Amino acid sequence: MSRQPLNIDGYHVPVKGFTQAVQVSGVGQMVYVSGLTARQADGSVAAVGDAAGQAREIMRSLQRMLAAAGATLDDVVRIVTYLTDIADHPAVHAVRREFFGDEPPASTSVQVVLLYDERQLVEIEATAVLP
């Protein structure tokens, strides 16, 4: 599979590392990961009150989920991030860049009123494509 970031000159988002679209060729198996929150194996919520800490926990869970499907973060073509406070976006975006580097997948971030548990500040869902 080839995963190629696609950015056009006629559209600009002033966020470093923003990928407008991802073009995928040689499509094989799709993996759709439901929204992940900072839940730990025992069901507790990690990093209460810390959006960046929760994002980091989510990204580690995403890596484990993808590995179970035979995928890695390099196979992720799109993510959607839900934030209870859009002011946390810069910190969460920085964490995503730690994991995805300079060519992140296509992404959308939105503010929501509340997640399932009021201690949860961030939820991330992902779509991956395997050859």
Side-chain angles (χ1 to χ4, degrees):
M1 173 197 80
S2 170
R3 175 181 166 272
Q4 181 65 41
L6 178 65
N7 294 294
I8 62 170
D9 291 333
Y11 183 79
H12 175 71
V13 175
V15 175
K16 183 179 178 186
F18 180 79
T19 298
Q20 297 170 4
V22 174
Q23 184 173 5
V24 179
S25 60
V27 175
Q29 183 178 15
M30 304 283 295
V31 179
Y32 298 93
V33 180
S34 296
L36 299 174
T37 61
R39 292 276 179 191
Q40 297 177 312
D42 65 0
S44 63
V45 176
V48 173
D50 177 10
Q54 289 191 7
R56 200 167 280 108
E57 182 70 24
I58 291 166
M59 294 302 297
R60 288 191 291 257
S61 293
L62 177 58
Q63 286 178 308
R64 291 190 302 272
M65 184 77 58
L66 292 169
T72 70
L73 291 176
D74 289 338
D75 299 310
V76 174
V77 297
R78 183 170 192 266
I79 60 171
V80 179
T81 303
Y82 303 95
L83 302 161
T84 58
D85 185 348
I86 202 67
D88 290 330
H89 182 267
V92 171
H93 181 73
V95 171
R96 289 187 329 210
R97 284 183 54 84
E98 287 175 24
F99 286 84
F100 287 114
D102 291 332
E103 292 190 348
S107 66
T108 299
S109 296
V110 297
Q111 180 172 314
V112 296
V113 174
L114 183 68
L115 294 170
Y116 182 77
D117 182 316
E118 65 184 21
R119 297 172 297 168
Q120 297 168 334
L121 306 175
V122 182
E123 184 169 333
I124 299 175
E125 61 183 59
T127 303
V129 180
L130 289 90

